[in-house]
């Protein structure tokens, strides 16, 4: 019986993540992928590439440059409407990042849990990208499946923007 190296096992766990893979339904019929050095190297490269895309998505989402109406190429195309009427041209609010507010966000978790997001979209792995407006604040966060909301940015909106 061949033993898989710990690092390779971690890569395989990421590839066969339950929210992404239906292979667990195969039970005893499941045939694992090859674990040759070249195959595992390529698989590691792909997993690392995906982690890089996930980081780029969060970095953009947590920046004032992110547009909820036109998310861009890093996000699923379904997030951007291919049909936009002339009068529907979005009016972007001026946003100013409030880095000092981030430390106080734990006290707002209950409030966010009972608030309706103004933006709630998910990517392939089930991670939700959420934005809330509370008064003059816009709070953006992500929520991975079976995880708590992770706040990534707090902005002052409109006239309150610095």
């Amino acid at each position: 019986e061949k033993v898989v190296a710990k690092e390779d096992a971690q890569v395989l766990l990421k590839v066969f993540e339950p929210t992404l893979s239906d292979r667990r339904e195969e039970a005893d019929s499941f045939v694992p992928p090859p674990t040759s050095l070249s195959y595992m190297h390529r698989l590691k490269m792909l997993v690392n590439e995906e982690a890089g895309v996930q980081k780029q998505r969060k970095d953009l989402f947590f920046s004032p440059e992110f547009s909820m109406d036109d998310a861009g190429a890093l996000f699923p195309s379904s997030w951007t409407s291919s049909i936009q009427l002339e009068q529907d041209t979005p009016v972007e609010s001026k946003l100013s990042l409030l880095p000092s507010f981030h430390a106080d966000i734990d006290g707002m978790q209950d409030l966010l849990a009972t608030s309706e997001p103004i933006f709630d979209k998910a990517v392939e792995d089930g991670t939700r990208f959420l934005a809330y407006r509370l008064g003059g604040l816009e709070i953006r966060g992500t929520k991975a499946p079976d995880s708590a909301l992770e706040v990534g940015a707090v902005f002052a909106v409109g006239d309150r923007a610095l």
Side-chain angles (χ1 to χ4, degrees):
E1 187 173 307
K2 187 175 181 181
V3 177
V4 177
K6 187 175 182 178
E7 183 181 347
D8 292 346
Q10 292 299 318
V11 170
L12 292 173
L13 284 171
K14 289 180 182 175
V15 170
F16 294 107
E17 168 67 37
T19 59
L20 296 174
S21 175
D22 61 357
R23 302 298 300 264
R24 293 176 189 269
E25 294 173 6
E26 296 175 10
D28 292 337
S29 301
F30 174 73
V31 177
T35 56
S36 67
L37 186 61
S38 61
Y39 183 85
M40 290 307 296
H41 177 71
R42 179 70 181 133
L43 201 54
K44 286 177 195 173
M45 287 177 46
L46 289 171
V47 167
N48 289 338
E49 186 179 315
E50 178 61 24
V53 170
Q54 291 171 353
K55 182 181 179 334
Q56 288 177 320
R57 283 176 170 172
K58 286 183 177 183
D59 289 346
L60 178 57
F61 185 70
F62 297 147
S63 76
E65 288 77 32
F66 179 79
S67 170
M68 293 181 207
D69 297 312
D70 185 11
L74 284 175
F75 295 93
S77 59
S78 62
W79 287 25
T80 303
S81 174
S82 59
I83 301 171
Q84 190 173 60
L85 301 175
E86 199 171 304
Q87 65 268 24
D88 287 346
T89 303
V91 177
E92 293 296 321
S93 299
K94 182 177 176 175
L95 299 174
S96 293
L97 186 63
L98 299 173
S100 61
F101 210 99
H102 194 67
D104 299 330
I105 204 63
D106 288 339
M108 298 184 79
Q109 289 290 349
D110 291 337
L111 183 59
L112 291 175
T114 60
S115 298
E116 190 73 26
I118 60 168
F119 185 85
D120 184 354
K121 305 265 182 171
V123 292
E124 300 83 356
D125 68 355
T127 299
R128 292 170 53 203
F129 287 72
L130 300 138
Y132 299 87
R133 286 270 170 95
L134 302 174
L137 298 177
E138 182 170 305
I139 301 158
R140 294 185 189 171
T142 57
K143 186 178 183 316
D146 301 322
S147 297
L149 178 69
E150 177 187 328
V151 174
V154 179
F155 299 96
V157 180
D159 293 339
R160 295 186 170 125
L162 304 173

